Short mmCIF file of all heavy atoms in Angstrom, two decimals:
data_model
loop_
_atom_site.label_atom_id
_atom_site.label_comp_id
_atom_site.label_asym_id
_atom_site.label_seq_id
_atom_site.Cartn_x
_atom_site.Cartn_y
_atom_site.Cartn_z
N MET A 1052 -168.28 153.13 -44.13
CA MET A 1052 -168.59 152.83 -42.74
C MET A 1052 -169.31 154.00 -42.08
O MET A 1052 -168.87 155.14 -42.14
CB MET A 1052 -167.28 152.56 -41.99
CG MET A 1052 -167.37 151.31 -41.13
SD MET A 1052 -165.78 150.94 -40.39
CE MET A 1052 -166.16 151.24 -38.68
N THR A 1053 -170.38 153.69 -41.45
CA THR A 1053 -171.12 154.76 -40.77
C THR A 1053 -170.82 154.73 -39.28
O THR A 1053 -170.75 153.66 -38.67
CB THR A 1053 -172.64 154.59 -40.97
OG1 THR A 1053 -173.00 153.27 -40.67
CG2 THR A 1053 -173.06 154.95 -42.38
N LYS A 1054 -170.69 155.84 -38.77
CA LYS A 1054 -170.38 155.97 -37.36
C LYS A 1054 -171.68 155.90 -36.55
O LYS A 1054 -172.54 156.74 -36.68
CB LYS A 1054 -169.68 157.29 -37.11
CG LYS A 1054 -169.03 157.36 -35.75
CD LYS A 1054 -168.43 158.73 -35.53
CE LYS A 1054 -168.02 158.90 -34.08
NZ LYS A 1054 -167.63 160.27 -33.80
N LYS A 1055 -171.75 154.91 -35.72
CA LYS A 1055 -172.95 154.78 -34.90
C LYS A 1055 -172.79 155.56 -33.61
O LYS A 1055 -171.77 155.47 -32.94
CB LYS A 1055 -173.21 153.30 -34.58
CG LYS A 1055 -174.02 152.61 -35.63
CD LYS A 1055 -174.49 151.27 -35.12
CE LYS A 1055 -175.31 150.58 -36.20
NZ LYS A 1055 -175.72 149.24 -35.78
N GLU A 1056 -173.85 156.25 -33.30
CA GLU A 1056 -173.81 157.02 -32.08
C GLU A 1056 -174.25 156.16 -30.91
O GLU A 1056 -175.38 155.68 -30.85
CB GLU A 1056 -174.74 158.23 -32.21
CG GLU A 1056 -174.30 159.37 -31.32
CD GLU A 1056 -175.20 160.58 -31.47
OE1 GLU A 1056 -175.87 160.69 -32.52
OE2 GLU A 1056 -175.25 161.38 -30.55
N HIS A 1057 -173.34 155.96 -30.00
CA HIS A 1057 -173.69 155.15 -28.84
C HIS A 1057 -173.78 156.03 -27.61
O HIS A 1057 -172.80 156.57 -27.14
CB HIS A 1057 -172.66 154.05 -28.64
CG HIS A 1057 -173.03 153.14 -27.52
ND1 HIS A 1057 -174.02 152.18 -27.65
CD2 HIS A 1057 -172.59 153.05 -26.26
CE1 HIS A 1057 -174.13 151.55 -26.49
NE2 HIS A 1057 -173.28 152.05 -25.63
N LEU A 1058 -174.99 156.12 -27.10
CA LEU A 1058 -175.18 156.95 -25.92
C LEU A 1058 -175.20 156.08 -24.66
O LEU A 1058 -175.73 154.98 -24.67
CB LEU A 1058 -176.51 157.70 -26.03
CG LEU A 1058 -176.62 158.67 -27.21
CD1 LEU A 1058 -178.04 159.19 -27.31
CD2 LEU A 1058 -175.64 159.80 -27.10
N PRO A 1059 -174.61 156.58 -23.61
CA PRO A 1059 -174.62 155.82 -22.36
C PRO A 1059 -176.03 155.66 -21.81
O PRO A 1059 -176.89 156.49 -22.07
CB PRO A 1059 -173.77 156.67 -21.41
CG PRO A 1059 -173.27 157.82 -22.17
CD PRO A 1059 -173.97 157.87 -23.49
N GLU A 1060 -176.20 154.60 -21.05
CA GLU A 1060 -177.52 154.35 -20.47
C GLU A 1060 -177.41 154.12 -18.97
O GLU A 1060 -176.39 153.66 -18.48
CB GLU A 1060 -178.14 153.10 -21.10
CG GLU A 1060 -178.85 153.39 -22.38
CD GLU A 1060 -179.64 152.19 -22.87
OE1 GLU A 1060 -179.93 151.28 -22.08
OE2 GLU A 1060 -179.94 152.17 -24.07
N LYS A 1061 -178.48 154.41 -18.29
CA LYS A 1061 -178.57 154.12 -16.85
C LYS A 1061 -179.94 153.57 -16.55
O LYS A 1061 -180.88 153.77 -17.32
CB LYS A 1061 -178.35 155.40 -16.05
CG LYS A 1061 -176.89 155.81 -15.95
CD LYS A 1061 -176.75 156.95 -14.97
CE LYS A 1061 -175.29 157.35 -14.83
NZ LYS A 1061 -175.10 158.40 -13.84
N ILE A 1062 -180.06 152.94 -15.40
CA ILE A 1062 -181.38 152.45 -14.97
C ILE A 1062 -181.92 153.40 -13.91
O ILE A 1062 -181.24 153.68 -12.92
CB ILE A 1062 -181.27 151.03 -14.38
CG1 ILE A 1062 -180.54 150.10 -15.32
CG2 ILE A 1062 -182.65 150.49 -14.02
CD1 ILE A 1062 -181.31 149.74 -16.56
N CYS A 1063 -183.10 153.83 -14.12
CA CYS A 1063 -183.75 154.74 -13.18
C CYS A 1063 -184.03 154.02 -11.86
O CYS A 1063 -184.52 152.90 -11.86
CB CYS A 1063 -185.04 155.27 -13.79
SG CYS A 1063 -185.96 156.29 -12.66
N LEU A 1064 -183.69 154.66 -10.76
CA LEU A 1064 -183.87 154.04 -9.45
C LEU A 1064 -185.32 153.94 -9.03
O LEU A 1064 -185.66 153.19 -8.12
CB LEU A 1064 -183.09 154.85 -8.40
CG LEU A 1064 -181.58 154.77 -8.46
CD1 LEU A 1064 -180.98 155.65 -7.37
CD2 LEU A 1064 -181.09 153.35 -8.32
N VAL A 1065 -186.16 154.68 -9.68
CA VAL A 1065 -187.57 154.68 -9.31
C VAL A 1065 -188.39 153.73 -10.18
O VAL A 1065 -189.04 152.81 -9.68
CB VAL A 1065 -188.15 156.10 -9.37
CG1 VAL A 1065 -189.65 156.08 -9.17
CG2 VAL A 1065 -187.49 156.99 -8.33
N CYS A 1066 -188.34 153.93 -11.47
CA CYS A 1066 -189.18 153.11 -12.35
C CYS A 1066 -188.42 151.91 -12.94
O CYS A 1066 -189.00 151.08 -13.61
CB CYS A 1066 -189.77 153.98 -13.46
SG CYS A 1066 -188.55 154.67 -14.57
N HIS A 1067 -187.12 151.84 -12.67
CA HIS A 1067 -186.28 150.73 -13.12
C HIS A 1067 -186.27 150.54 -14.63
O HIS A 1067 -186.16 149.43 -15.13
CB HIS A 1067 -186.69 149.42 -12.44
CG HIS A 1067 -186.54 149.49 -10.95
ND1 HIS A 1067 -187.57 149.26 -10.09
CD2 HIS A 1067 -185.48 149.81 -10.18
CE1 HIS A 1067 -187.15 149.41 -8.85
NE2 HIS A 1067 -185.89 149.76 -8.88
N ARG A 1068 -186.42 151.62 -15.32
CA ARG A 1068 -186.34 151.55 -16.77
C ARG A 1068 -185.06 152.22 -17.23
O ARG A 1068 -184.63 153.20 -16.63
CB ARG A 1068 -187.53 152.30 -17.38
CG ARG A 1068 -188.81 151.52 -17.25
CD ARG A 1068 -189.91 152.29 -17.93
NE ARG A 1068 -191.20 151.68 -17.64
CZ ARG A 1068 -192.35 152.18 -18.04
NH1 ARG A 1068 -192.39 153.30 -18.73
NH2 ARG A 1068 -193.48 151.57 -17.78
N PRO A 1069 -184.48 151.69 -18.28
CA PRO A 1069 -183.28 152.32 -18.80
C PRO A 1069 -183.58 153.65 -19.48
O PRO A 1069 -184.60 153.78 -20.15
CB PRO A 1069 -182.74 151.29 -19.80
CG PRO A 1069 -183.86 150.39 -20.10
CD PRO A 1069 -184.89 150.52 -19.02
N PHE A 1070 -182.73 154.57 -19.26
CA PHE A 1070 -182.88 155.85 -19.95
C PHE A 1070 -181.53 156.26 -20.53
O PHE A 1070 -180.48 155.88 -20.00
CB PHE A 1070 -183.43 156.93 -19.03
CG PHE A 1070 -182.59 157.19 -17.79
CD1 PHE A 1070 -181.67 158.23 -17.78
CD2 PHE A 1070 -182.76 156.42 -16.65
CE1 PHE A 1070 -180.90 158.49 -16.66
CE2 PHE A 1070 -181.99 156.68 -15.52
CZ PHE A 1070 -181.07 157.71 -15.51
N LYS A 1071 -181.61 156.98 -21.59
CA LYS A 1071 -180.38 157.34 -22.30
C LYS A 1071 -179.89 158.75 -21.97
O LYS A 1071 -180.67 159.61 -21.55
CB LYS A 1071 -180.60 157.21 -23.80
CG LYS A 1071 -180.55 155.77 -24.22
CD LYS A 1071 -180.57 155.65 -25.72
CE LYS A 1071 -180.46 154.18 -26.10
NZ LYS A 1071 -180.72 153.96 -27.51
N TRP A 1072 -178.66 158.87 -22.20
CA TRP A 1072 -177.98 160.15 -22.00
C TRP A 1072 -178.69 161.26 -22.76
O TRP A 1072 -179.11 161.08 -23.87
CB TRP A 1072 -176.55 159.99 -22.51
CG TRP A 1072 -175.69 161.18 -22.30
CD1 TRP A 1072 -174.90 161.42 -21.21
CD2 TRP A 1072 -175.48 162.27 -23.21
NE1 TRP A 1072 -174.24 162.61 -21.39
CE2 TRP A 1072 -174.57 163.15 -22.60
CE3 TRP A 1072 -175.99 162.59 -24.48
CZ2 TRP A 1072 -174.16 164.32 -23.21
CZ3 TRP A 1072 -175.58 163.76 -25.09
CH2 TRP A 1072 -174.67 164.61 -24.46
N ARG A 1073 -178.82 162.37 -22.10
CA ARG A 1073 -179.39 163.54 -22.75
C ARG A 1073 -178.43 164.71 -22.66
O ARG A 1073 -177.66 164.81 -21.70
CB ARG A 1073 -180.71 163.93 -22.09
CG ARG A 1073 -181.82 162.96 -22.43
CD ARG A 1073 -183.09 163.37 -21.74
NE ARG A 1073 -183.90 162.18 -21.49
CZ ARG A 1073 -185.00 162.20 -20.77
NH1 ARG A 1073 -185.41 163.31 -20.20
NH2 ARG A 1073 -185.71 161.10 -20.60
N LYS A 1074 -178.57 165.55 -23.64
CA LYS A 1074 -177.62 166.65 -23.72
C LYS A 1074 -177.68 167.57 -22.49
O LYS A 1074 -176.68 168.10 -22.05
CB LYS A 1074 -177.89 167.47 -24.98
CG LYS A 1074 -176.66 168.26 -25.38
CD LYS A 1074 -176.83 168.83 -26.76
CE LYS A 1074 -175.53 169.50 -27.19
NZ LYS A 1074 -175.65 170.07 -28.53
N LYS A 1075 -178.88 167.69 -21.95
CA LYS A 1075 -179.00 168.57 -20.78
C LYS A 1075 -178.28 168.01 -19.56
O LYS A 1075 -178.07 168.71 -18.57
CB LYS A 1075 -180.48 168.82 -20.47
CG LYS A 1075 -181.23 167.57 -20.03
CD LYS A 1075 -182.62 167.94 -19.51
CE LYS A 1075 -183.35 166.73 -18.98
NZ LYS A 1075 -184.65 167.09 -18.40
N TRP A 1076 -177.93 166.73 -19.62
CA TRP A 1076 -177.21 166.11 -18.50
C TRP A 1076 -175.71 166.03 -18.76
O TRP A 1076 -174.98 165.41 -17.99
CB TRP A 1076 -177.74 164.70 -18.26
CG TRP A 1076 -179.15 164.66 -17.79
CD1 TRP A 1076 -179.81 165.64 -17.07
CD2 TRP A 1076 -180.11 163.60 -17.99
NE1 TRP A 1076 -181.09 165.24 -16.81
CE2 TRP A 1076 -181.30 164.01 -17.36
CE3 TRP A 1076 -180.06 162.37 -18.63
CZ2 TRP A 1076 -182.45 163.20 -17.36
CZ3 TRP A 1076 -181.18 161.57 -18.63
CH2 TRP A 1076 -182.36 161.98 -18.00
N GLN A 1077 -175.30 166.64 -19.81
CA GLN A 1077 -173.90 166.56 -20.24
C GLN A 1077 -172.91 166.73 -19.08
O GLN A 1077 -171.97 165.96 -18.94
CB GLN A 1077 -173.66 167.66 -21.27
CG GLN A 1077 -172.45 167.38 -22.12
CD GLN A 1077 -172.41 168.30 -23.33
OE1 GLN A 1077 -173.07 169.32 -23.37
NE2 GLN A 1077 -171.65 167.93 -24.34
N LYS A 1078 -173.15 167.71 -18.27
CA LYS A 1078 -172.18 168.02 -17.20
C LYS A 1078 -172.47 167.31 -15.88
O LYS A 1078 -171.64 167.29 -14.99
CB LYS A 1078 -172.17 169.54 -16.95
CG LYS A 1078 -171.53 170.27 -18.11
CD LYS A 1078 -171.58 171.76 -17.88
CE LYS A 1078 -170.99 172.48 -19.07
NZ LYS A 1078 -171.17 173.93 -18.96
N ILE A 1079 -173.66 166.76 -15.76
CA ILE A 1079 -174.03 166.15 -14.47
C ILE A 1079 -174.36 164.67 -14.60
O ILE A 1079 -174.97 164.09 -13.72
CB ILE A 1079 -175.24 166.90 -13.85
CG1 ILE A 1079 -176.41 166.96 -14.84
CG2 ILE A 1079 -174.84 168.30 -13.40
CD1 ILE A 1079 -177.76 167.04 -14.19
N TRP A 1080 -173.97 164.09 -15.72
CA TRP A 1080 -174.36 162.69 -16.00
C TRP A 1080 -174.01 161.75 -14.85
O TRP A 1080 -174.77 160.85 -14.51
CB TRP A 1080 -173.69 162.25 -17.30
CG TRP A 1080 -173.96 160.82 -17.63
CD1 TRP A 1080 -173.06 159.82 -17.74
CD2 TRP A 1080 -175.25 160.22 -17.94
NE1 TRP A 1080 -173.70 158.65 -18.06
CE2 TRP A 1080 -175.02 158.86 -18.18
CE3 TRP A 1080 -176.55 160.70 -17.99
CZ2 TRP A 1080 -176.06 157.98 -18.51
CZ3 TRP A 1080 -177.57 159.81 -18.30
CH2 TRP A 1080 -177.33 158.49 -18.56
N ASP A 1081 -172.88 161.94 -14.22
CA ASP A 1081 -172.48 161.07 -13.11
C ASP A 1081 -173.45 161.14 -11.94
O ASP A 1081 -173.57 160.21 -11.17
CB ASP A 1081 -171.09 161.47 -12.61
CG ASP A 1081 -170.02 160.95 -13.56
OD1 ASP A 1081 -170.36 160.10 -14.41
OD2 ASP A 1081 -168.87 161.37 -13.44
N ASN A 1082 -174.13 162.24 -11.84
CA ASN A 1082 -175.05 162.42 -10.71
C ASN A 1082 -176.50 162.11 -11.06
O ASN A 1082 -177.36 162.15 -10.19
CB ASN A 1082 -174.97 163.86 -10.21
CG ASN A 1082 -173.59 164.18 -9.68
OD1 ASN A 1082 -172.98 163.37 -8.99
ND2 ASN A 1082 -173.08 165.33 -10.03
N VAL A 1083 -176.74 161.84 -12.30
CA VAL A 1083 -178.12 161.57 -12.72
C VAL A 1083 -178.51 160.14 -12.32
O VAL A 1083 -177.81 159.19 -12.64
CB VAL A 1083 -178.27 161.74 -14.25
CG1 VAL A 1083 -179.68 161.38 -14.69
CG2 VAL A 1083 -177.96 163.17 -14.66
N LYS A 1084 -179.60 160.02 -11.58
CA LYS A 1084 -180.04 158.70 -11.13
C LYS A 1084 -181.48 158.39 -11.52
O LYS A 1084 -181.94 157.27 -11.39
CB LYS A 1084 -179.90 158.60 -9.61
CG LYS A 1084 -178.46 158.61 -9.17
CD LYS A 1084 -178.37 158.51 -7.66
CE LYS A 1084 -176.94 158.38 -7.21
NZ LYS A 1084 -176.26 159.66 -7.12
N TYR A 1085 -182.17 159.40 -11.98
CA TYR A 1085 -183.57 159.20 -12.33
C TYR A 1085 -183.82 159.65 -13.76
O TYR A 1085 -183.19 160.58 -14.25
CB TYR A 1085 -184.47 159.98 -11.37
CG TYR A 1085 -184.06 159.81 -9.93
CD1 TYR A 1085 -183.43 160.83 -9.24
CD2 TYR A 1085 -184.29 158.60 -9.27
CE1 TYR A 1085 -183.03 160.67 -7.92
CE2 TYR A 1085 -183.91 158.44 -7.96
CZ TYR A 1085 -183.28 159.46 -7.28
OH TYR A 1085 -182.88 159.29 -5.98
N CYS A 1086 -184.77 158.99 -14.39
CA CYS A 1086 -185.01 159.27 -15.80
C CYS A 1086 -185.69 160.62 -16.00
O CYS A 1086 -185.62 161.20 -17.06
CB CYS A 1086 -185.85 158.16 -16.42
SG CYS A 1086 -187.51 158.05 -15.77
N SER A 1087 -186.37 161.08 -14.98
CA SER A 1087 -187.09 162.33 -15.14
C SER A 1087 -187.28 163.04 -13.81
O SER A 1087 -187.07 162.46 -12.74
CB SER A 1087 -188.46 162.06 -15.75
OG SER A 1087 -189.20 161.24 -14.88
N GLU A 1088 -187.70 164.25 -13.90
CA GLU A 1088 -187.98 165.04 -12.70
C GLU A 1088 -189.09 164.39 -11.89
O GLU A 1088 -189.09 164.38 -10.68
CB GLU A 1088 -188.39 166.45 -13.13
CG GLU A 1088 -188.47 167.44 -11.98
CD GLU A 1088 -187.12 167.76 -11.37
OE1 GLU A 1088 -186.09 167.71 -12.08
OE2 GLU A 1088 -187.10 168.05 -10.19
N ARG A 1089 -190.01 163.80 -12.61
CA ARG A 1089 -191.14 163.14 -11.97
C ARG A 1089 -190.68 161.97 -11.09
O ARG A 1089 -191.12 161.82 -9.96
CB ARG A 1089 -192.08 162.63 -13.07
CG ARG A 1089 -193.49 162.42 -12.57
CD ARG A 1089 -194.35 161.95 -13.72
NE ARG A 1089 -195.41 161.09 -13.25
CZ ARG A 1089 -196.24 160.45 -14.03
NH1 ARG A 1089 -196.13 160.55 -15.34
NH2 ARG A 1089 -197.19 159.71 -13.56
N CYS A 1090 -189.78 161.19 -11.60
CA CYS A 1090 -189.26 160.06 -10.83
C CYS A 1090 -188.48 160.57 -9.63
O CYS A 1090 -188.52 159.96 -8.56
CB CYS A 1090 -188.37 159.20 -11.72
SG CYS A 1090 -189.34 158.02 -12.67
N ARG A 1091 -187.77 161.63 -9.82
CA ARG A 1091 -187.00 162.19 -8.72
C ARG A 1091 -187.93 162.60 -7.58
O ARG A 1091 -187.65 162.35 -6.41
CB ARG A 1091 -186.22 163.41 -9.21
CG ARG A 1091 -184.90 163.56 -8.50
CD ARG A 1091 -184.02 164.54 -9.18
NE ARG A 1091 -184.29 165.89 -8.77
CZ ARG A 1091 -183.61 166.96 -9.19
NH1 ARG A 1091 -182.64 166.79 -10.06
NH2 ARG A 1091 -183.90 168.14 -8.78
N ARG A 1092 -189.03 163.17 -7.93
CA ARG A 1092 -190.00 163.58 -6.92
C ARG A 1092 -190.66 162.36 -6.28
O ARG A 1092 -190.90 162.33 -5.08
CB ARG A 1092 -191.07 164.47 -7.56
CG ARG A 1092 -190.57 165.87 -7.76
CD ARG A 1092 -191.66 166.72 -8.37
NE ARG A 1092 -191.09 167.92 -8.96
CZ ARG A 1092 -191.76 168.73 -9.78
NH1 ARG A 1092 -193.00 168.44 -10.10
NH2 ARG A 1092 -191.20 169.79 -10.25
N THR A 1093 -190.96 161.37 -7.07
CA THR A 1093 -191.58 160.15 -6.57
C THR A 1093 -190.68 159.52 -5.52
O THR A 1093 -191.14 159.12 -4.45
CB THR A 1093 -191.79 159.16 -7.73
OG1 THR A 1093 -192.51 159.81 -8.76
CG2 THR A 1093 -192.54 157.94 -7.26
N ARG A 1094 -189.42 159.46 -5.84
CA ARG A 1094 -188.45 158.89 -4.92
C ARG A 1094 -188.45 159.65 -3.59
O ARG A 1094 -188.48 159.07 -2.52
CB ARG A 1094 -187.08 158.96 -5.59
CG ARG A 1094 -185.93 158.60 -4.69
CD ARG A 1094 -185.76 157.11 -4.56
NE ARG A 1094 -184.52 156.80 -3.86
CZ ARG A 1094 -184.13 155.57 -3.57
NH1 ARG A 1094 -184.86 154.56 -3.97
NH2 ARG A 1094 -183.03 155.34 -2.94
N ARG A 1095 -188.44 160.93 -3.69
CA ARG A 1095 -188.41 161.76 -2.48
C ARG A 1095 -189.68 161.56 -1.67
O ARG A 1095 -189.64 161.42 -0.46
CB ARG A 1095 -188.30 163.23 -2.87
CG ARG A 1095 -186.88 163.57 -3.29
CD ARG A 1095 -186.70 165.06 -3.37
NE ARG A 1095 -185.30 165.41 -3.43
CZ ARG A 1095 -184.85 166.65 -3.26
NH1 ARG A 1095 -185.70 167.62 -3.03
NH2 ARG A 1095 -183.58 166.91 -3.32
N THR A 1096 -190.79 161.54 -2.33
CA THR A 1096 -192.07 161.37 -1.66
C THR A 1096 -192.11 160.01 -0.95
O THR A 1096 -192.49 159.90 0.20
CB THR A 1096 -193.22 161.44 -2.68
OG1 THR A 1096 -193.04 162.59 -3.48
CG2 THR A 1096 -194.56 161.51 -2.00
N LYS A 1097 -191.65 159.00 -1.65
CA LYS A 1097 -191.61 157.66 -1.11
C LYS A 1097 -190.76 157.60 0.16
O LYS A 1097 -191.17 157.09 1.17
CB LYS A 1097 -191.02 156.72 -2.17
CG LYS A 1097 -191.76 155.40 -2.28
CD LYS A 1097 -191.14 154.60 -3.39
CE LYS A 1097 -191.39 153.12 -3.20
NZ LYS A 1097 -190.73 152.32 -4.22
N LEU A 1098 -189.59 158.16 0.07
CA LEU A 1098 -188.70 158.18 1.22
C LEU A 1098 -189.35 158.91 2.39
O LEU A 1098 -189.27 158.49 3.53
CB LEU A 1098 -187.39 158.88 0.85
CG LEU A 1098 -186.36 158.01 0.14
CD1 LEU A 1098 -185.19 158.86 -0.31
CD2 LEU A 1098 -185.85 156.91 1.05
N PHE A 1099 -189.97 160.01 2.06
CA PHE A 1099 -190.61 160.81 3.09
C PHE A 1099 -191.68 160.00 3.81
O PHE A 1099 -191.77 159.99 5.02
CB PHE A 1099 -191.21 162.06 2.44
CG PHE A 1099 -191.82 163.01 3.44
CD1 PHE A 1099 -191.01 163.78 4.26
CD2 PHE A 1099 -193.20 163.13 3.55
CE1 PHE A 1099 -191.56 164.65 5.18
CE2 PHE A 1099 -193.75 164.01 4.47
CZ PHE A 1099 -192.94 164.77 5.29
N ILE A 1100 -192.46 159.28 3.05
CA ILE A 1100 -193.53 158.46 3.62
C ILE A 1100 -192.93 157.34 4.49
O ILE A 1100 -193.37 157.10 5.60
CB ILE A 1100 -194.42 157.86 2.49
CG1 ILE A 1100 -195.23 158.97 1.84
CG2 ILE A 1100 -195.34 156.78 3.06
CD1 ILE A 1100 -195.89 158.56 0.53
N GLU A 1101 -191.89 156.71 4.00
CA GLU A 1101 -191.26 155.63 4.75
C GLU A 1101 -190.68 156.14 6.07
O GLU A 1101 -190.77 155.49 7.10
CB GLU A 1101 -190.15 155.00 3.91
CG GLU A 1101 -190.70 154.00 2.91
CD GLU A 1101 -189.66 153.60 1.88
OE1 GLU A 1101 -188.49 153.98 2.03
OE2 GLU A 1101 -190.03 152.92 0.91
N GLU A 1102 -190.11 157.31 6.01
CA GLU A 1102 -189.48 157.86 7.21
C GLU A 1102 -190.50 158.29 8.26
O GLU A 1102 -190.23 158.20 9.45
CB GLU A 1102 -188.62 159.07 6.82
CG GLU A 1102 -187.28 158.62 6.26
CD GLU A 1102 -186.49 159.80 5.71
OE1 GLU A 1102 -186.95 160.94 5.85
OE2 GLU A 1102 -185.44 159.56 5.11
N THR A 1103 -191.64 158.73 7.80
CA THR A 1103 -192.61 159.27 8.75
C THR A 1103 -193.64 158.24 9.21
O THR A 1103 -194.35 158.46 10.16
CB THR A 1103 -193.35 160.47 8.13
OG1 THR A 1103 -193.85 160.08 6.86
CG2 THR A 1103 -192.42 161.65 7.95
N SER A 1104 -193.68 157.11 8.53
CA SER A 1104 -194.66 156.10 8.93
C SER A 1104 -194.18 155.38 10.20
O SER A 1104 -192.98 155.21 10.40
CB SER A 1104 -194.86 155.10 7.78
OG SER A 1104 -193.67 154.43 7.50
N PRO A 1105 -195.07 154.95 11.03
CA PRO A 1105 -194.71 154.33 12.31
C PRO A 1105 -194.08 152.94 12.17
O PRO A 1105 -194.30 152.28 11.18
CB PRO A 1105 -196.03 154.24 13.08
CG PRO A 1105 -197.11 154.37 12.09
CD PRO A 1105 -196.52 155.07 10.86
ZN1 ZN B 545 -187.84 156.74 -13.90
#
C-alpha cells in the first residue's frame, strides 16, 4: 500500500482557482486566501478602486 499525499486546497478569492497547500504557508494556512502575492495585490487594488470611485 502506498501512502498518498493529500494536500489541503483552497479557492483563491481573486482568480477563483483552487490552489494547494504549500510548505511556506505551513504556519499561516488558515489565513491564506489568495493563491499568490499577485492575486493579493489585485484584490487590494480592486478594493481601492471600488472605494474611491464615485
Ligand atoms: Zn489567485
Side-chain angles (χ1 to χ4, degrees):
M1052 227 174 113
T1053 49
K1054 194 184 169 188
K1055 273 192 180 176
E1056 206 179 338
H1057 184 75
L1058 298 172
E1060 275 188 20
K1061 282 189 178 183
I1062 308 289
C1063 175
L1064 289 179
V1065 172
C1066 65
H1067 299 123
R1068 285 183 189 176
F1070 58 96
K1071 282 188 178 169
W1072 184 91
R1073 287 179 209 172
K1074 202 168 185 180
K1075 66 170 184 176
W1076 294 332
Q1077 200 167 18
K1078 290 178 182 173
I1079 53 152
W1080 177 243
D1081 283 347
N1082 297 318
V1083 177
K1084 292 180 174 83
Y1085 315 106
C1086 66
S1087 62
E1088 190 68 30
R1089 202 178 150 186
C1090 276
R1091 213 167 85 177
R1092 281 181 198 168
T1093 306
R1094 171 80 171 178
R1095 284 193 165 193
T1096 310
K1097 222 177 156 184
L1098 277 173
F1099 184 73
I1100 290 167
E1101 279 168 7
E1102 280 173 5
T1103 51
S1104 62

